């Protein structure tokens, strides 16, 4: 306000500044803290919080194998019996017992005719095996991606970074963890019963809630670091 030592000129200058000053307004309540920051002991810069990614988990939700009814071929002589049972998954699981028992029926303990193995192999053909492998791979990938995200969230929670609302972060993470756990259970059922149609719970909203808290903390961290730069 140089040159405005007289009341009249000071008033004119104040009115002029009020009308023309385009500087960003600052909440007066924050000024004491900023003064203390600037003129107090030197502070260190803060590291921004790394944002975890849930993109891969979300992408798995659209896998076409989830809604595919995976069963064997219907034009094989044994298909009629399996369809009558109404549970090809049960028969599929029984094949492993049959093969591990050297061709002996695990129920009656009698030697099975060679045609039975041939019929089972024909029913559970390469398409069935490929689809079953796709289910197994999907479950493994989802579990691995979920574990990667969990480790990233663990690091954040254990670090207790400044400016992060830790209580809200833990609550948002809890919601996400419940959904991820439910999806892993669904994938386990799909692997055990390949004819089952499932839909994974969408985790985007829960993931966004976690990221929103991290982003808000990073905004404050950037402000902190900028004040240090300005001070220097």
């Amino acid at each position: 306000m140089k040159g405005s030592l007289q009341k009249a000129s000071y008033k004119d200058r104040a009115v002029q500044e009020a009308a023309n000053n385009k500087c960003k307004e600052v909440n007066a309540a924050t000024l004491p803290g900023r003064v203390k920051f600037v003129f107090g002991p030197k502070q260190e810069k803060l590291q921004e919080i790394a944002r975890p990614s849930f993109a891969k988990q979300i992408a798995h939700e659209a896998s076409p194998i989830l809604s595919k009814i995976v069963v064997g071929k219907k034009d094989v002589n044994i298909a009629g019996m399996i369809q009558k049972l109404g549970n090809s998954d049960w028969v599929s699981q029984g094949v492993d017992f049959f093969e591990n028992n050297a061709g002996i029926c695990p129920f009656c303990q009698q030697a099975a005719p060679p045609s039975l193995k041939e019929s089972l192999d024909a029913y559970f053909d390469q398409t069935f095996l490929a689809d079953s492998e796709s289910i197994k791979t999907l479950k493994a990938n989802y579990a691995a991606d979920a574990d990667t995200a969990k480790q990233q969230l663990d690091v954040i929670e254990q670090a207790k970074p400044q400016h992060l609302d830790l209580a809200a972060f833990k609550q948002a993470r809890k919601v996400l963890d419940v959904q991820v756990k439910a999806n892993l259970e669904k994938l386990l059922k799909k692997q055990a019963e390949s004819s089952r149609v499932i839909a994974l719970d969408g985790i985007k909203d829960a993931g966004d809630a976690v990221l929103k808290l991290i982003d808000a903390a990073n905004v404050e961290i950037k402000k902190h670091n900028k004040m240090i730069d300005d001070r220097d």
Side-chain angles (χ1 to χ4, degrees):
M1 303 300 283
K2 184 178 180 182
S4 304
L5 299 179
Q6 301 299 318
K7 290 182 179 180
S9 58
Y10 178 82
K11 175 185 175 183
D12 292 340
R13 182 65 181 276
V15 171
Q16 180 185 2
E17 288 292 330
N20 300 323
N21 195 321
K22 304 300 182 183
C23 293
K24 183 178 178 182
E25 292 185 3
V26 176
N27 188 334
T30 67
L31 292 179
R34 297 180 69 178
V35 170
K36 183 178 180 181
F37 182 94
V38 172
F39 295 101
K42 182 176 178 61
Q43 298 193 41
E44 299 294 331
K45 283 188 174 183
L46 301 176
Q47 184 175 358
E48 291 185 35
I49 305 170
R51 297 174 90 251
S53 174
F54 308 109
K56 289 184 178 180
Q57 286 174 262
I58 294 172
H60 293 319
E61 296 167 10
S63 175
I65 199 67
L66 298 172
S67 58
K68 184 173 183 179
I69 300 175
V70 179
V71 294
K73 293 180 67 175
K74 296 182 178 180
D75 58 352
V76 180
N77 58 0
I78 202 174
M81 181 196 73
I82 295 175
Q83 290 174 8
K84 184 177 180 180
L85 290 172
N87 195 339
S88 64
D89 300 315
W90 177 79
V91 179
S92 175
Q93 294 167 16
V95 169
D96 291 334
F97 292 103
F98 174 71
E99 292 179 344
N100 291 333
N101 205 31
I104 304 298
C105 176
F107 296 103
C108 67
Q109 298 299 306
Q110 301 296 314
S115 59
L116 176 60
K117 185 178 187 311
E118 294 173 359
S119 296
L120 289 171
D121 289 343
Y123 183 79
F124 298 111
D125 61 356
Q126 291 302 313
T127 300
F128 175 88
L129 296 176
D131 286 341
S132 298
E133 187 63 26
S134 294
I135 296 170
K136 180 180 178 182
T137 299
L138 175 62
K139 176 181 173 295
N141 289 343
Y142 191 96
D145 294 334
D147 187 61
T148 297
K150 178 182 180 302
Q151 291 180 34
Q152 293 173 327
L153 295 173
D154 284 343
V155 169
I156 295 172
E157 186 171 323
Q158 292 167 9
K160 300 179 181 179
Q162 290 186 43
H163 302 294
L164 177 66
D165 186 337
L166 195 58
F169 177 82
K170 289 180 178 180
Q171 181 59 37
R173 183 183 176 183
K174 183 177 180 181
V175 174
L176 176 64
D177 289 344
V178 168
Q179 293 182 338
V180 170
K181 182 179 178 181
N183 284 341
L184 288 170
E185 291 175 352
K186 289 181 178 182
L187 289 169
L188 187 62
K189 290 179 180 178
K190 178 67 174 178
Q191 185 175 358
E193 302 174 26
S194 59
S195 63
R196 179 191 291 262
V197 173
I198 68 169
L200 299 182
D201 295 335
I203 67 165
K204 185 178 185 305
D205 289 345
D208 285 348
V210 172
L211 294 177
K212 183 178 180 180
L213 293 167
I214 293 174
D215 291 342
N218 281 336
V219 168
E220 297 303 316
I221 291 172
K222 288 177 181 177
K223 290 180 181 178
H224 171 95
N225 292 341
K226 185 176 186 304
M227 282 197 290
I228 290 178
D229 289 336
D230 292 344
R231 174 178 174 170
D232 295 340

